[in-house]
Amino acid sequence: MRPGLRGEEPALITVLAGGVGAARLLAGIVQVVPPAEVTAVVNTGDDVVMHGLHISPDLDTVTYTLAGADNPETGWGLAGETWQAMGSLGRYGGETWFNLGDVDLGTHLYRTGNLAAGVGLAEITAGISSGWGLEPTLLPMTEDRVATMMTLADGSGGGSDEVGFQEYFVRLRHAVPVSSVRFAGAESSLPGPGVLDAIGGADVVVVAPSNPIVSIGPLLAVPGIADAIRARRDRTVAVSPIIAGAALKGPADRLMRELGHEASVVGVARIYRDIASCLVIDSADADLAGAVETEGMACVVTDTVMSSPEVAAELARTVLGAAS
Ligand code: FO1
């Protein structure tokens, strides 16, 4: 067995995860600690039902990336995917703005069929993970329905002021201003099986470089999860998804500004300072390290753009080292 974090025994690592940024960091982490010691608690606020199928985009992005089957160009879906089912759907005038690949469809059929048969999302996720031969544990943040809902500032949703996350992100290409975000159903949701134990029992908790508002926000809105992380604040390290005032991918910077946050590593520190004791920021923001520390977090500066598996592994080493 490869050495654990302290060089003697495996350390338990729990990562709070959204989509592509989290998936890439997890792929780095499993290169530097035994993969079986790694747990990802994954956002399900992006989940959507399309054509009667239950789709869990962040769980699938993490699964496909850890399996080495992801499409690196899109950041979602599978490499080498084909789109025949979508073509068929289009022939009947069905909705095709949310693209479901032929192989990806099998995952959604498996999830939906099992949910309909009464199996919980955590057990289904374990089945999918095992189907891809993954050693890390993937846990949905909750088995209850929590839906990230976006209120559009200018009513550009085609009539409705409030739209579901995928309508905002994919149909509207996140090119519309947002005035508020809520996590419908969160107040009555329960943490998924194993989630609180994974956080409470971890040697290191990592907040992945995911969108703080719509990827990590839903996790923190599930009653009990934020408190569990706060109790481990001294062992929690966050990685900034904002580099030089911008998100590498997606609308994190714009959303932060639209919702009254500063779109910088300092703004990220203000969001995370109650749950994490350290923020890892990119070298491009080195001059803001002091300002992050003024917000009450330790600050580590390194290269955070995971342009290759080697950079991801190096970032993982730095992040895990920052907790010790
Ligand atoms: N993102 C897109 O930009 N366009 C799509 O058509 C699309 C389809 C899709 C299907 C399955 C899936 O698991 C993810 C998909 N995504 C698509 C990505 C998804 O919208 C985002 O990754 C997340 O929800 C944000 O983290």
Side-chain angles (χ1 to χ4, degrees), residues 225-277:
I225 294 188
D227 283 346
I229 305 166
R230 256 189 294 275
R232 308 288 293 130
R233 182 183 181 277
D234 58 328
R235 308 293 296 167
T236 301
V237 179
V239 183
S240 174
I242 300 291
I243 299 176
L248 277 185
K249 194 171 184 291
D253 50 350
R254 262 180 298 125
L255 269 181
M256 285 177 73
R257 266 192 301 274
E258 286 161 8
L259 299 177
H261 301 276
E262 187 178 310
S264 74
V265 293
V266 179
V268 174
R270 288 182 189 135
I271 294 175
Y272 287 148
R273 63 186 165 195
D274 290 343
I275 57 162
S277 54

Side-chain angles (χ1 to χ4, degrees), residues 18-20 43 46-47 55-61 64 74-77 83 96-101 104 108 165-166 169-171 174 214-215 249:
V20 60
N43 172 39
D46 293 10
D47 286 18
I55 299 149
S56 297
D58 283 353
L59 279 166
D60 293 343
T61 296
Y64 298 157
T74 55
W76 54 270
W83 305 95
T96 54
W97 57 267
F98 195 76
N99 295 284
L100 299 170
D104 188 34
H108 314 314
F165 180 79
Q166 296 301 342
F169 193 85
V170 178
R171 189 173 71 78
H174 50 76
V214 291
S215 296
K249 194 171 184 291

Side-chain angles (χ1 to χ4, degrees), residues 25-296:
L25 182 60
L26 278 158
I29 290 175
V30 298
Q31 293 182 65
V32 302
V33 297
E37 308 303 324
V38 178
T39 298
V41 178
V42 184
N43 172 39
T44 57
D46 293 10
D47 286 18
V48 65
V49 175
M50 294 291 300
H51 323 295
L53 297 176
H54 185 115
I55 299 149
S56 297
D58 283 353
L59 279 166
D60 293 343
T61 296
V62 169
T63 301
Y64 298 157
T65 304
L66 286 173
D70 58 304
N71 179 339
E73 270 139 49
T74 55
W76 54 270
L78 288 152
E81 186 60 279
T82 55
W83 305 95
Q84 301 218 39
M86 279 283 115
S88 172
L89 186 59
R91 180 191 302 273
Y92 310 124
E95 274 191 278
T96 54
W97 57 267
F98 195 76
N99 295 284
L100 299 170
D102 297 333
V103 180
D104 188 34
L105 270 170
T107 306
H108 314 314
L109 291 172
Y110 175 82
R111 180 182 292 115
T112 306
N114 277 289
L115 282 171
V119 183
L121 186 60
E123 190 179 336
I124 297 167
T125 301
I128 293 170
S129 175
S130 146
W132 286 95
L134 301 188
E135 286 184 72
T137 303
L138 306 191
L139 300 176
M141 67 182 197
T142 181
E143 291 194 314
D144 299 317
R145 185 70 190 114
V146 172
T148 299
M149 303 296 297
M150 322 290 287
T151 300
L152 306 179
D154 60 1
S156 43
S160 164
D161 280 349
E162 190 179 56
V163 296
F165 180 79
Q166 296 301 342
E167 283 225 76
Y168 161 75
F169 193 85
V170 178
R171 189 173 71 78
L172 299 169
R173 299 166 197 269
H174 50 76
V176 287
V178 165
S179 58
S180 68
V181 174
R182 72 183 178 104
F183 308 114
E187 54 297 335
S188 55
S189 68
L190 294 173
V195 166
L196 296 184
D197 287 346
I199 295 166
D203 293 294
V204 182
V205 178
V206 178
V207 183
S210 300
N211 188 318
I213 312 268
V214 291
S215 296
I216 303 299
L219 274 116
L220 301 178
V222 175
I225 294 188
D227 283 346
I229 305 166
R230 256 189 294 275
R232 308 288 293 130
R233 182 183 181 277
D234 58 328
R235 308 293 296 167
T236 301
V237 179
V239 183
S240 174
I242 300 291
I243 299 176
L248 277 185
K249 194 171 184 291
D253 50 350
R254 262 180 298 125
L255 269 181
M256 285 177 73
R257 266 192 301 274
E258 286 161 8
L259 299 177
H261 301 276
E262 187 178 310
S264 74
V265 293
V266 179
V268 174
R270 288 182 189 135
I271 294 175
Y272 287 148
R273 63 186 165 195
D274 290 343
I275 57 162
S277 54
C278 179
L279 184 66
V280 176
I281 66 173
D282 191 77
S283 310
D285 288 311
D287 57 331
L288 291 173
V292 167
E293 284 167 354
T294 303
E295 297 300 328

